[in-house]
Amino acid sequence: MNILKYTDFLLNKPSVFQIKKTETLQQFAVALGRGTILEKHTTEIPATLIVLKGEIKFVLPDEELTLKEFDIFEIPVDVEHSVHGILDKNLFLITKEIEL
């Protein structure tokens, strides 16, 4: 399986590909084109973001972070955030560990 086969770098919406989902783990890839925004949302589950390709802007209420290829970021729980694609092709992986 190749993630790029199942995602597109769209300019008007994120492309999401579910890689794995079990009772204790959720893992998915998100592709963004240049200027594409993953709209504001929160996570109730601890999540790790890894940039696989490109560069993204991770926007929190009081901070904006630029994350580049191979950067790792722990997404804060219950904090509203959005993600913006900076380059033509931006791809990141999200892993959530679900506690039973």
Side-chain angles (χ1 to χ4, degrees), residues 26-79:
Q26 182 180 13
Q27 190 172 58
F28 55 95
V30 180
L32 304 173
R34 181 183 299 270
T36 304
I37 299 172
L38 180 58
E39 296 295 334
K40 289 181 181 179
H41 61 283
T42 60
T43 181
E44 297 175 354
I45 301 168
T48 302
L49 180 154
I50 301 173
V51 180
L52 302 175
K53 181 177 189 67
E55 190 173 317
I56 60 173
K57 181 169 50 170
F58 195 94
V59 180
L60 297 156
D62 57 354
E63 183 178 18
E64 289 186 9
L65 303 168
T66 299
L67 303 174
K68 299 180 180 189
E69 285 185 16
F70 311 118
D71 281 348
I72 300 170
F73 179 68
E74 295 297 326
I75 301 172
V77 174
D78 296 328
V79 176

Side-chain angles (χ1 to χ4, degrees), residues 5-48:
K5 230 176 142 172
Y6 299 96
T7 55
D8 292 308
F9 300 98
L10 305 172
L11 298 177
N12 58 344
K13 66 179 183 177
S15 176
V16 179
F17 172 61
Q18 180 101 3
I19 297 169
K20 185 172 189 170
K21 187 172 185 177
T22 67
E23 288 183 12
T24 59
L25 181 79
Q26 182 180 13
Q27 190 172 58
F28 55 95
V30 180
L32 304 173
R34 181 183 299 270
T36 304
I37 299 172
L38 180 58
E39 296 295 334
K40 289 181 181 179
H41 61 283
T42 60
T43 181
E44 297 175 354
I45 301 168
T48 302

